[in-house]
Amino acid sequence: MASVYLYIPNLIGYLRFLLLALAWLYFEHTAPFLVFYSSASALDFFDGYIARKLNQVSSFGAWLDVMADNVGRSMVWTQVSSWGWIVVCLEWSVFVSTHQLGSKWKEKFENAPFWVKAVMADGFHTLPGGFVIIGIHVLPVVLYYRIYPFSWFPPQPLLLWSAVTILAAGRCLCAFVEMWVLYTQVTLLVQEDCRREQSRPS
């Protein structure tokens, strides 16, 4: 059991948390923040590959990976937008719902609407899935840069709002998927309660 904690992908997960802590310490200092935060985000694209390559896939690793994602985005969203708390609440609610299904939650959407399947198919490795992933990860960083830009490279209004519009569209598509997940989870829980109620002796 102890060896799971020392799997290489899980060590990368711990490193991501360390980088996020450093990003928080330097939140108002653009250059170090972007270095630490971007490094933590970039490692997200390697730990899954390494886990499969080394045959070190684990439920704990899948959980740790999404935890790091959510902690990082929550840190930024709560600081860059007055409505960021809505995004944070939605992401954590979905995290709780999906991880009741275990580490392979992405595969368990057989009865989902076509637009949900389009996003989730092949572990987000589709055009809609990529659009959503970019919106999820890049939008909070762009909003951060709007507040804490480099003095030598101030945000260009047209470029900034074009990027925000496109990224927000991806994030909104994700929000629709998240709301469907929550609706489905609530429905399953109520159905389970109804079956339990019906099975009780009268």
Side-chain angles (χ1 to χ4, degrees):
M1 174 181 169
S3 63
V4 173
Y5 294 113
L6 299 178
Y7 280 179
I8 299 299
N10 297 342
L11 295 177
I12 293 174
Y14 309 146
L15 176 59
R16 292 182 66 198
F17 278 101
L18 174 60
L19 290 168
L20 290 173
L22 291 170
W24 175 252
L25 289 175
Y26 289 93
F27 194 87
E28 296 182 2
H29 303 275
T30 306
F33 170 82
L34 289 176
V35 168
F36 292 132
Y37 186 83
S38 299
S39 298
S41 299
L43 288 174
D44 183 33
F45 295 96
F46 293 100
D47 54 3
Y49 171 79
I50 292 173
R52 292 186 294 273
K53 200 73 174 176
L54 299 180
N55 195 26
Q56 292 185 345
V57 176
S58 65
S59 298
F60 170 69
W63 175 86
L64 186 68
D65 182 51
V66 183
M67 276 287 290
D69 290 340
N70 281 15
V71 167
R73 290 195 299 270
S74 297
M75 174 180 68
V76 180
W77 272 117
T78 55
Q79 299 298 310
V80 301
S81 173
S82 60
W83 46 267
W85 65 272
I86 299 175
V87 179
V88 171
C89 289
L90 189 57
E91 291 192 354
W92 282 105
S93 297
V94 170
F95 173 76
V96 171
S97 297
T98 55
H99 278 72
Q100 285 188 339
L101 300 174
S103 60
K104 295 187 177 181
W105 61 270
K106 296 177 186 177
E107 302 172 7
K108 300 180 181 181
F109 286 81
E110 295 86 357
N111 299 320
F114 76 92
W115 51 275
V116 174
K117 288 183 178 179
V119 171
M120 302 296 298
D122 195 25
F124 296 105
H125 295 150
T126 62
L127 185 59
F131 185 50
V132 160
I133 292 297
I134 291 172
I136 290 173
H137 288 286
V138 181
L139 179 59
V141 176
V142 171
L143 294 177
Y144 169 88
Y145 195 76
R146 176 178 62 90
I147 301 171
Y148 301 102
F150 289 122
S151 58
W152 50 269
F153 188 59
Q156 306 301 310
L158 180 59
L159 181 61
L160 173 67
W161 291 112
S162 296
V164 168
T165 300
I166 294 170
L167 295 169
R171 188 63 192 80
C172 286
L173 176 56
C174 180
F176 283 117
V177 173
E178 289 168 325
M179 286 186 284
W180 178 87
V181 169
L182 293 177
Y183 167 78
T184 301
Q185 178 70 1
V186 169
T187 301
L188 290 173
L189 290 173
V190 171
Q191 289 174 348
E192 183 180 320
D193 288 338
C194 289
R195 285 193 296 269
R196 187 181 298 112
E197 185 71 25
Q198 291 170 357
S199 65
R200 288 177 182 171
S202 54

